[in-house]
Amino acid sequence: MTPAVSKAVDEVRAAFPDAAIRVREEPDGGAVVLVEDVDPGAQYKQRSTWIGFRITFQYPYSDVYPHFVRGDLTRVDGAPLGEAMTSTTFEDRPAVQISRRSNRLNPATDTAVIKLHKVLTWLRSR
């Protein structure tokens, strides 16, 4: 991992001290991160999901995008998941892709852990 990617992974670990966090280093210096057992919100039947994302070797000058959660995520009210959420796979797991791109990326302030918190806040507000 590049030093910036390694620091980003450490920040995720610090922000989720009780979660199991799996990291797979990529040959180019990036990393794939999976944070296990995260609450997606009361509006979902599944009250626990993993959330995964890739931190590329260009980090912090590239967006941490997209994020992925469990593939069987469904709403309690039976409504579709809605915009910005698409069924796919991630790291050989069925997944729902969450597309929340940062349009004005600021490498100094838009860290991987802040982006993760923003995506979780968005997911829980839907």
Side-chain angles (χ1 to χ4, degrees):
M1 282 186 269
T2 67
V5 172
S6 180
K7 180 180 177 196
V9 170
D10 289 345
E11 290 171 349
V12 171
R13 289 185 194 281
F16 294 87
D18 298 327
I21 298 176
R22 301 170 199 252
V23 178
R24 182 177 61 77
E25 293 185 37
E26 296 191 303
D28 62 6
V32 174
V33 180
L34 288 166
V35 181
E36 302 284 352
D37 198 22
V38 175
D39 184 357
Q43 65 273 45
Y44 300 100
K45 289 181 182 175
Q46 301 80 11
R47 294 305 309 271
S48 177
T49 184
W50 52 269
I51 186 163
F53 50 95
R54 180 169 278 108
I55 306 172
T56 70
F57 70 93
Q58 298 104 335
Y59 182 84
Y61 301 102
S62 64
D63 194 8
V64 179
Y65 163 89
H67 288 68
F68 301 86
V69 295
R70 64 188 297 165
D72 62 349
L73 189 70
T74 53
R75 295 183 59 89
V76 170
D77 62 7
L81 293 175
E83 65 176 307
M85 299 178 78
T86 307
S87 292
T88 186
T89 59
F90 181 70
E91 293 292 302
D92 297 324
R93 298 177 179 208
V96 172
Q97 177 178 314
I98 301 172
S99 298
R100 304 296 300 162
R101 188 175 64 166
S102 300
N103 291 324
R104 293 183 199 90
L105 178 69
N106 180 341
T109 58
D110 293 329
T111 65
V113 72
I114 288 173
K115 181 68 177 272
L116 177 56
H117 282 298
K118 286 181 177 179
V119 169
L120 286 170
T121 297
W122 179 84
L123 181 65
R124 293 170 179 151
S125 71
R126 302 201 27 95

